[in-house]
Structures are given as structure tokens and as C-alpha cells.
Amino acid sequence: MTDFSRYTVSIDYDRRLYKQDVAGSIAHAKMLAKQDIISQDDAAQITQGLKAIEKEIELSSFPWDPALEDLHMNIESRLHQIIGAAAGRLHTARSRNDQVAVDLRLYTKETIKEIAKGLRGVQQALVGLAFRYQTVVMPGYTHLQRAQPVLFPHHMLAYFEMFQRDIGRFQDCYQRTDVMPLGSGALAGVAYQTDREFLAAELGFSRISANSMDAVSDRDFVVEFLAAASVCMMHFSRMSEELILWSTGEFGFIRLSDEFTTGSSIMPQKRNPDFAELARGKTGRVYGDLLGMLTTLKGLPLTYNRDMQEDKEGFFDAADTLSTTLNVFQEMLPGLKLNEERVSSLAGESQMLATDMADYLVAKGMPFREAHGIMRELSRHCDERNISLNDLPVAEYKKLSDLFEQDVYDITAESSAAARDNPGGTAPVRVAAALEEAKRIMEAAPDGF
Ligand code: ARG
């Protein structure tokens, strides 16, 4: 082959759609026979031939020929070699344009289901960690500054929520992918009395496309898949960032298992969180896949244009990147060891309890703004002298308000968390209820669908 003819070839990557292509063709042949467009005998030969081809592909004995450009031409040509003349009838009332559309939709539907399952697995792992460390209080952050104590399981459940929304996004995408385009032909429909509803039922689609021109040129479902994958990777990237920070000597919150860290070739003490770093890094390529697809589509007039062949590599890349990321996190999270002592001692530092001390004054009748001002002053005072609020004698407190009594020292990280007893808050009772709800959600749809 010349370098030029290579330019149009897609067989190196579209062969991944072989199962869907064979299934689509078998359903099509069956429909043609049912409608008396081809004979039952031809349909039977075609079906047999296609099944033989599927086997060959699985056994890696299929003679792929780049000169035939794509998957569809390779399979059709091989069908001729195997069954002879009847093969020529398969492409009646069909075009590669509706054929590739049906293949990619079938593949996307399956991929979405696998991803939803993987996301459930990650949620399971998060809930597992949440139960393991259910009572541990840790520092919660804003601006990456220690802010208020939160329960460790509350932090884990924040990610549960993100992944729950991701599952929802993939489910939405599924609805719009679940549309059967065969029967659209090249662009205008086909000049045969086909039975499109039959095809939809055979192939497991819940409805048929309404407009043949749209059906052959629509790749919105690919864009939506890539968008959902991008948001999901963004979530993994954020979690990775936390795992990386938490594994540093500076934080010292967690230890990842050896399997998911690597040593340095020069510094013997190193335990680098490479898997989390790579998840963060791979997020960039998934965004790239999304941007690539959007850009490919943006100038295309109706209907099919060859540009659209470029939909596949980015799609496969994003799907592969996301599914391996899901596998990694399902394995990596259960091996995470939390340094309970360290996180709870940091959570107990009294500067983190300043809000609670303001609330203490509010409970005794002071307006919140005034209480906030007093605590600000006390906190500054402590900062300057490098002591903590708990080190201040009660007399110092009383200088700013005589509402302060000895019981101000009873405020702890635990009492702070327990006070946040409203829906969505970090009080242990609320977190326990949220964990039950998470379990209920997972049990209702173990595979995310
Ligand atoms: N390989 C093509 C693709 O992936 C299949 C459709 C080709 N259609 C055409 N009219 N050349 O988009």
C-alpha cells in the first residue's frame, strides 16, 4: 500500500466493532428474509458465514486486509469468499453509513453499562472505607486551610455523590444512544419495505431514529459519552490530588498499599503515588478526546462525511482510559490505610474549633457577627503567641466576653462534628444515615443500571 492509501484506512481500530457489526448484519439479513427482500436460504447462508467470520476474528485467523479500508468491507469481502454469491445480497437496503452508526451505538451502549458497573465498584470501595473508619474525625479544608472537623466517612461520601452523578450522566447518555439507525440507508432512507421496529427489537434498541439524515450524521452520543467521561475523570483527578497530598510527609494522613506506589531509582525512602498521579494525568487526554470530537463535528454539513471516521479512536481511548482508571481505584482504595491518630489529633486542634466557640456565644444570646469578631480576635492573639485556643486561661476569654465559662474547654472536634446535625451535615447520626442511604442506592441497582 502507498502511504496515501493508508490515509483512509480505519481497520486498525474499527475492528473493535466486529461483534456489533456481525450482530447488526445478522439482524439485517433476518429482517430482509422476513420481508421477502431476500430468500430464507440466502439469509441462512449469510448468518452462517457471519458466525464463521466472528469465530475467525476471535481466533485471530481472520485475514484482515488494509486495502479494504474498514471493518465493514473486510467482513463483506470475507463473506463472499466463504459463502459465494449470497453474500452480495446482504448489503441490500443498507449503507455503510447506517451500518457504522448502528455498530457504534451498540458498542457505546455496552461500554456505558460496563462503566456504570465500574463506578458502582468504586462507590462500594468508598463505602467500605467509610465503614472501616466510621467514627474518625479529621480536618476538613477550604482554601486548603484547615477549616472545621469532619468525619472521615463524610469525606468519602462526598465522592460517592460525585460518582452517583456520573452514573446519572452515563444513564442519560444511554437513553439517547439507545436509538436504532438502520433503515436510514446512505441518508434518505431505503427503497425497500424494511421492518425497522423488528431490527430494533432484534438488536435490543428501545426505539428507532426519526429522521434518516440525522441518523447517519448524528454523533451526539459520542460527544455526550466523552463529556460524561471527562467529568468523571475530573472527579478521579480531584480524588487523586487528595490521595497524593494525603500521602506526603507533610500531611501524613494515609498510606497507599505498596502495589500502588513505586520507589525511586535513586531515593530509597520514596513511595510515590504513581497510580493516583497517572489518573490525574490521564484526565488531560480524555478532555483532549472530547475536544477533538467536538472540533471534528463542528463544521460538518449534513449528512455523513468521512471526517466522522475520526470519531472512533478518541472514543476508544477515553473508554479504555476510564475503565482502567475504574479498575485501579476499585483495587487501590480498599488498601488505603488511614493514620487515625494523626488526623484526629489535627482535627482536635482548638483553632479548628473557633466557629464552635462562636456558636457557643450565640447559644448564650450573642449575635453571630459579634461572636465571630470576638473569636477572630482570640484566634489572632493565639497565632501571634504561637499557642492554641485551649492554652488560653479562662480569664483571657472573659476579657472579651463574660459569657465565657469553664465549659468552653468542653468543645472538641467530636462535639463540633456532632453539632452539625442537619440533613447533609457531618454529625455521626447524619453520616450513619447517609451510609445506609448509600447502601440502599447500591443494592437497588448493583450494576448502576
Ligand atoms: N469507515 C467508515 C466510518 O468509520 C464507515 C462509513 C463509510 N461510509 C462511506 N460512505 N464511506 O465512518
Side-chain angles (χ1 to χ4, degrees), residues 133 164 201 268 290 334 383:
Y133 300 111
Q164 190 58 22
L290 169 63
D383 273 351

Side-chain angles (χ1 to χ4, degrees), residues 10 14 70 72 96-97 100 219 304 306 308-309 311-312:
S10 58
D14 70 7
D70 65 17
H72 323 295
R96 272 190 292 158
N97 297 351
V100 73
R219 292 294 183 272
Y304 178 84
R306 191 61 180 272
M308 288 159 66
Q309 180 167 294
D311 56 4
K312 293 172 203 63

Side-chain angles (χ1 to χ4, degrees), residues 417-435:
R420 272 130 190 100
D421 184 7
N422 48 20
T426 197
V429 280
R430 298 292 177 171
V431 173
L435 276 169

Side-chain angles (χ1 to χ4, degrees), residues 28 31-32 90-102 180-192 194 196 199 209-219 303-305 308:
H28 185 64
M31 182 279 293
L32 291 175
L90 171 61
H91 214 51
T92 316
R94 189 175 74 167
S95 146
R96 272 190 292 158
N97 297 351
D98 55 355
Q99 187 180 355
V100 73
V102 81
M180 206 290 300
L182 279 180
S184 302
L187 78 161
V190 293
Y192 298 87
T194 60
R196 301 191 60 214
L199 278 171
S209 55
N211 180 295
S212 61
M213 296 179 77
D214 178 48
V216 293
S217 69
D218 172 28
R219 292 294 183 272
T303 52
Y304 178 84
N305 298 271
M308 288 159 66

Side-chain angles (χ1 to χ4, degrees), residues 162 164-174 227-228 231 235:
M162 294 180 221
Q164 190 58 22
R165 290 195 295 276
D166 287 327
I167 289 174
R169 262 181 285 276
F170 280 110
Q171 286 172 342
D172 285 353
C173 172
Y174 188 94
V231 176
H235 291 150

